[in-house]
Amino acid sequence: MFAASDPELFNRLTNIIKEGGPDATREVIEVMQGTAARIAASWARYLVEMQVSLRLMTPTFRTRNRDVYCLDKDELRDLVVVNVN
């Protein structure tokens, strides 16, 4: 899973919370969802460009940002990360 480390995003969210307090929850969620959607779309475009299966995004999004998931040889081939024997 990705972890946002964008200082501009952090500052934007901080300002939304400071200005809106508890009532800013909806706006914070909308900003976070929009950011996640843009990142996912960017990853998807890159995978398509590299001719790698979009299914590679599944283990990416299921793995917590502090964990590591290593694809085995069969997964690498199945997801077209590796296309040679």
Side-chain angles (χ1 to χ4, degrees), residues 15-59:
N15 289 334
I16 291 169
I17 293 167
K18 283 180 181 178
E19 292 172 12
D23 296 329
T25 303
R26 174 169 281 163
E27 187 176 357
V28 168
I29 290 170
E30 288 172 357
V31 169
M32 294 296 291
Q33 286 177 332
T35 300
R38 281 189 297 282
I39 291 169
S42 175
W43 289 0
R45 281 191 300 273
Y46 179 74
L47 293 176
V48 168
E49 181 181 325
M50 301 278 66
Q51 299 180 353
V52 173
S53 173
L54 289 175
R55 289 180 295 119
L56 179 59
M57 294 178 77
T58 300

Side-chain angles (χ1 to χ4, degrees), residues 39-80:
I39 291 169
S42 175
W43 289 0
R45 281 191 300 273
Y46 179 74
L47 293 176
V48 168
E49 181 181 325
M50 301 278 66
Q51 299 180 353
V52 173
S53 173
L54 289 175
R55 289 180 295 119
L56 179 59
M57 294 178 77
T58 300
T60 301
F61 282 100
R62 285 188 178 163
T63 304
R64 295 179 339 165
N65 65 348
R66 295 183 193 268
D67 294 338
V68 175
Y69 179 85
C70 295
L71 300 169
D72 63 31
K73 288 180 183 182
D74 291 334
E75 289 172 311
L76 290 169
R77 278 191 226 97
D78 182 51
L79 298 171
V80 197

